[in-house]
């Protein structure tokens, strides 16, 4: 019977994902992030500025959308009430209530 339970850590899986060369992807470890860490942090800060700008634009757009939705709801609600009253008048007239 085949089992889908493997011992932890599984040497078959861990050897496939780890080639043993840590410095290739993460620098030599002398300063915690490689020689280009300052450039990468500056790039991240730039991206965060763009994200913040985009989020601010979304917040503004959502605020405008809420105002428009509130106005549309009032118009729709007024039309619904008018229609209900009109139908009630037609039904009352049909039953000779007035």
């Amino acid at each position: 019977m085949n089992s889908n339970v493997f011992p932890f850590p599984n040497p078959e899986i861990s050897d496939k994902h780890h080639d043993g060369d840590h410095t290739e992807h993460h620098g030599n470890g002398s300063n915690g992030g490689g020689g280009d860490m300052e450039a990468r942090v500056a790039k991240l800060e730039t991206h965060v500025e763009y994200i913040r700008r985009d989020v601010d634009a979304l917040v503004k757009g959502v605020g405008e959308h809420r105002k428009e939705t509130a106005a549309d709801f009032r118009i729709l609600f007024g039309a619904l009430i008018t229609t209900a009253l009109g139908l009630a008048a037609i039904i009352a007239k049909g039953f000779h209530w007035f």
Side-chain angles (χ1 to χ4, degrees), residues 22-23 25-38 40-41:
H22 183 74
T23 60
H25 300 290
H26 301 287
N28 60 7
S30 63
N31 63 359
D36 62 342
M37 186 172 75
E38 291 176 4
R40 290 185 290 158
V41 169

Side-chain angles (χ1 to χ4, degrees), residues 4-61:
N4 63 351
V5 179
F6 295 101
F8 183 79
N10 188 350
E12 294 175 15
I13 296 174
S14 63
D15 289 341
K16 292 178 185 176
H17 297 293
H18 183 60
D19 58 0
D21 188 13
H22 183 74
T23 60
E24 178 182 332
H25 300 290
H26 301 287
N28 60 7
S30 63
N31 63 359
D36 62 342
M37 186 172 75
E38 291 176 4
R40 290 185 290 158
V41 169
K43 187 175 180 181
L44 287 173
E45 288 173 346
T46 303
H47 288 298
V48 168
E49 289 175 14
Y50 288 134
I51 291 170
R52 182 171 296 252
R53 183 196 66 199
D54 293 343
V55 168
D56 289 341
L58 286 172
V59 168
K60 183 179 177 183

Side-chain angles (χ1 to χ4, degrees), residues 9 19 21 55 58 62 67 77 91 95:
D19 58 0
D21 188 13
V55 168
L58 286 172
V62 167
K67 290 177 186 175
F77 191 70
I91 291 171
F95 285 113

